[in-house]
Amino acid sequence: LGFTNSLNGEVKPRILLMGLRRSGKSSIQKVVFHKMSPNETLFLESTNKICREDVSNSSFVSFQIWDFPGQIDFFDPSFDYEMIFRGTGALIFVIDSQDDYVEALNRLHLTVTRAYAVNPDINFEVFIHKVDGLSDDQKIDKQRDIHKRANDDQVDAGLERIHLSFYLTSIYDHSIFEAFSKVVQKLIPQLPTLENLLNIFIS
């Protein structure tokens, strides 16, 4: 299932995009990677199967992104989650901040627990999404609440060693690009060297 880099046979890092239905996963992908205008995403149909895409912006930034339907069932025997998680570099879980996110937090906990058991090296990223309709105070409150509940769930399950990163995102401003950039940077093994070279170049 992995796309391989034809030059050196390497399997590209895989980013999974997960979350409940209508949380904004496909819209994020279309805006970030296909330059779709945010308003156009209102007409996107619900994703009903795993959509895979190869992203190659340069020899350094090269990965696959898998967009999962919100209703995916981890307990369906035809869903080989072990194989999928084993080859994954980052798992982005999208939570709709304008919705009641109790179910989303339950699904986040199940997803992270399953993924970590298969591959403890996955970077877990939580996008608290659709924050464009919230005030600054509401954004801070939502982030604090989701952060606390998600981490409490991990502690209760004895999984406090799992690190979750949280981002406030919206497709209507630069926040989604910034958050995705930070996720991708973690998957670039040459990043420290690149940063060092850029610092030398600047000085």
Side-chain angles (χ1 to χ4, degrees):
L1 281 167
F3 294 96
T4 54
N5 185 326
S6 56
L7 291 175
N8 53 18
E10 281 182 23
V11 176
K12 295 180 178 181
R14 182 186 302 155
I15 298 176
L16 306 185
L17 203 50
M18 304 183 98
L20 297 184
R21 292 181 71 140
R22 314 305 301 170
S23 58
K25 302 181 295 298
S26 299
S27 300
I28 289 171
Q29 188 183 353
K30 294 294 186 190
V31 168
V32 174
F33 298 108
H34 295 273
K35 297 184 169 60
M36 183 181 278
S37 80
N39 291 327
E40 283 181 78
T41 65
L42 298 171
F43 306 103
L44 287 176
E45 293 197 8
S46 222
T47 305
N48 55 17
K49 65 182 192 306
I50 298 172
C51 299
R52 287 173 291 174
E53 183 174 355
D54 210 12
V55 178
S56 295
N57 295 338
S58 70
S59 55
F60 289 116
V61 182
S62 184
F63 56 92
Q64 312 160 20
I65 182 158
W66 292 25
D67 181 6
F68 281 75
Q71 67 276 16
I72 201 112
D73 180 7
F74 285 110
F75 301 102
D76 182 338
S78 67
F79 177 58
D80 187 357
Y81 70 86
E82 287 200 9
M83 179 282 299
I84 290 169
F85 291 145
R86 201 171 291 122
T88 293
L91 191 160
I92 299 172
F93 195 92
V94 183
I95 295 179
D96 183 347
S97 67
Q98 298 189 32
D99 205 4
D100 176 20
Y101 42 77
V102 172
E103 187 187 347
L105 285 166
N106 291 336
R107 177 54 67 101
L108 168 66
H109 180 64
L110 173 66
T111 306
V112 168
T113 305
R114 291 253 157 157
Y116 185 82
V118 175
N119 180 1
D121 295 325
I122 292 179
N123 294 316
F124 294 106
E125 322 284 352
V126 181
F127 285 8
I128 302 167
H129 195 49
K130 302 184 186 178
V131 296
D132 43 276
L134 306 176
S135 68
D136 288 345
D137 285 346
Q138 286 174 317
K139 288 178 188 177
I140 292 166
D141 289 344
K142 293 267 187 186
Q143 182 166 12
R144 188 181 293 131
D145 186 42
I146 289 171
H147 188 286
K148 183 178 185 313
R149 291 200 206 184
N151 283 326
D152 284 352
D153 286 343
Q154 304 299 97
V155 171
D156 291 345
L159 296 169
E160 56 269 19
R161 62 191 172 280
I162 299 178
H163 176 71
L164 305 176
S165 299
F166 295 85
Y167 309 83
L168 292 166
T169 59
S170 166
I171 56 172
Y172 291 95
D173 58 33
H174 197 259
S175 60
I176 192 60
F177 294 93
E178 197 171 313
F180 229 106
S181 172
K182 287 176 178 172
V183 171
V184 171
Q185 283 176 39
K186 293 179 185 178
L187 302 181
I188 302 175
Q190 307 91 339
L191 187 68
T193 308
L194 279 171
E195 288 182 331
N196 191 35
L197 287 169
L198 286 167
N199 287 333
I200 293 167
F201 178 64
I202 289 165
S203 61

